[in-house]
Amino acid sequence: MAAGAGALAPFPGPPPASLHEFPYPPQNRPRVARGSPTGGVPPAIDLVLGAAAGCLACVLTNPLEVVKTRLQLQGELQPPGTYPRPYRGVLRAVGAVCRADGLRGLQKGLAAGLLYQGLMNGVRFYCYSHAEDAGWTGYPGGTVAAGAVAGAVGAFVGSPAYLVKTHLQAQTLAAVAVGHQHNHEGISGAFESIYKQHGVAGLWRGVTGAVPRVAVGSAAQLATFTSAKDWVCERQWFAEGSWAAVLAGGMVSGVAVAVTMTPFDVVSTRLYNQPVDADGTGKLYRGFLDCILQISSKEGLLGLYKGIGAVYLRLGPHTVLSLFFWDELRKMVQHQQPPGP
């Protein structure tokens, strides 16, 4: 397997009989006519399947999202060592969440997270499928560019759900609370409260941090996943084409993705969770660049990497689970379709 054969394509080249195409195919694939479903599934169906796959993966990885949100808000705009730390590392943070909120606390914001994954991944897979059908992914760098653009569009569409998810996951008992506490009653109450106070625009507050976060994360993942998976297979740690090799490749690739994406993730969390004035203006940050500058100057550069452990531990499993569920759902749909002429 050539290291550069494709991007985020777990099985470059012709797939085994038991596996169907994944959403990020090899770059040397022949071009297809516009509107011709490349994997036997139209883009509109891919929207539904991508949404469902992201939601299934979200159920299993949401606890790490809760932990990541708490770690990223801890010590907001305070110099290191000058604030209490109820959350110390991923494992201790899991324990702290359970003690404060019970086991159910690890699934805080799950409904909003599912809505976000459904919207973001559905739109992302739909846009990518269209780019794939148009043959744009066949050009050098086309896969990375298409993935980044598709991710950015998906992030914009799903931004209100991510806003609410962040608010709900930050909420906890006062003794271990970090960041601003919005005190929403639930997902519907959160949407209603934000809309009543700030209108439609208020639902997209913080989107300037979400779009670059997903775009950079998608580009970094697409650029490193296949090479990392091939590196694992070359060392014969796992059978080529196996799910273990894909997971291992995802975890290796996750190092580069976590280092690249975590600063954007921290900024996104801060912009979403900050308190706002009556007109919707942030009380802590004026925008994306101001957030980066304030974190760097007051918390140090390492402040931009808060929660990187949780980001990394979530990346590999979430990627592989999304691809696995997407593939299985696609096979189910393809088996229901009538045979071609």
Side-chain angles (χ1 to χ4, degrees):
M1 295 171 66
L8 236 180
F11 306 97
S18 61
L19 294 165
H20 293 255
E21 293 179 4
F22 278 72
Y24 306 111
Q27 292 187 17
N28 57 1
R29 246 179 65 170
R31 295 184 65 177
V32 296
R34 181 185 293 270
S36 301
T38 56
V41 177
I45 300 299
D46 256 339
L47 185 152
V48 177
L49 299 185
C55 288
L56 289 170
C58 176
V59 173
L60 300 176
T61 58
N62 190 65
L64 287 171
E65 275 288 312
V66 175
V67 168
K68 181 205 73 173
T69 299
R70 303 280 179 90
L71 289 170
Q72 290 177 343
L73 291 173
Q74 185 169 247
E76 186 170 17
L77 299 182
Q78 298 180 59
T82 63
Y83 54 86
R85 294 176 59 196
Y87 308 102
R88 294 175 177 267
V90 176
L91 292 179
R92 289 186 181 181
V94 169
V97 171
C98 290
R99 286 191 296 272
D101 306 311
L103 285 175
R104 293 180 62 183
L106 292 173
Q107 291 292 7
K108 277 199 169 186
L110 178 60
L114 291 173
L115 178 59
Y116 171 73
Q117 289 294 333
L119 291 170
M120 191 274 289
N121 274 307
V123 172
R124 182 167 66 98
F125 276 68
Y126 178 78
C127 292
Y128 191 93
S129 188
H130 267 299
E132 188 182 30
D133 290 350
W136 299 339
T137 57
Y139 296 104
T143 300
V144 175
V149 172
V153 175
F156 180 84
V157 173
S159 185
Y162 202 97
L163 169 70
V164 170
K165 179 190 77 71
T166 302
H167 288 187
L168 294 176
Q169 290 179 339
Q171 289 182 189
T172 186
L173 299 177
V176 292
V178 291
H180 182 72
Q181 300 291 291
H182 292 270
N183 298 319
H184 299 303
E185 293 297 326
I187 179 173
S188 59
F191 277 116
E192 182 180 358
S193 174
I194 295 169
Y195 176 75
K196 282 184 176 179
Q197 294 180 42
H198 308 294
V200 174
L203 294 171
W204 266 269
R205 187 179 76 244
V207 71
T208 54
V211 169
R213 168 188 173 271
V214 177
V216 169
S218 295
Q221 194 173 60
L222 288 165
T224 60
F225 182 85
T226 298
S227 296
K229 179 174 59 61
D230 292 345
W231 181 77
V232 169
C233 291
E234 286 169 3
R235 278 148 185 78
Q236 299 181 338
W237 292 345
F238 304 102
E240 186 172 332
S242 68
W243 282 106
V246 178
L247 177 59
M251 298 308 291
V252 173
S253 169
V255 175
V257 179
V259 170
T260 306
M261 190 179 74
T262 298
F264 295 91
D265 205 12
V266 172
V267 170
S268 179
T269 299
R270 298 288 181 86
L271 290 176
Y272 276 132
N273 195 66
Q274 71 170 329
V276 295
D277 294 328
D279 61 357
T281 302
K283 293 183 178 180
L284 300 179
Y285 313 103
R286 293 191 300 273
F288 181 81
L289 291 179
D290 180 61
C291 186
I292 291 179
L293 292 175
Q294 286 209 57
I295 293 173
S296 301
S297 62
K298 296 179 181 179
E299 302 176 44
L301 289 177
L302 290 180
L304 292 169
Y305 283 92
K306 286 183 175 180
I308 189 173
V311 171
Y312 170 72
L313 291 175
R314 176 187 173 276
L315 277 171
H318 187 86
T319 298
V320 175
L321 286 169
S322 296
L323 292 174
F324 173 76
F325 289 133
W326 183 88
D327 184 53
E328 292 301 312
L329 291 170
R330 240 190 184 203
K331 283 191 284 186
M332 291 171 59
V333 170
Q334 288 170 332
H335 289 161
Q336 297 298 320
Q337 291 179 339

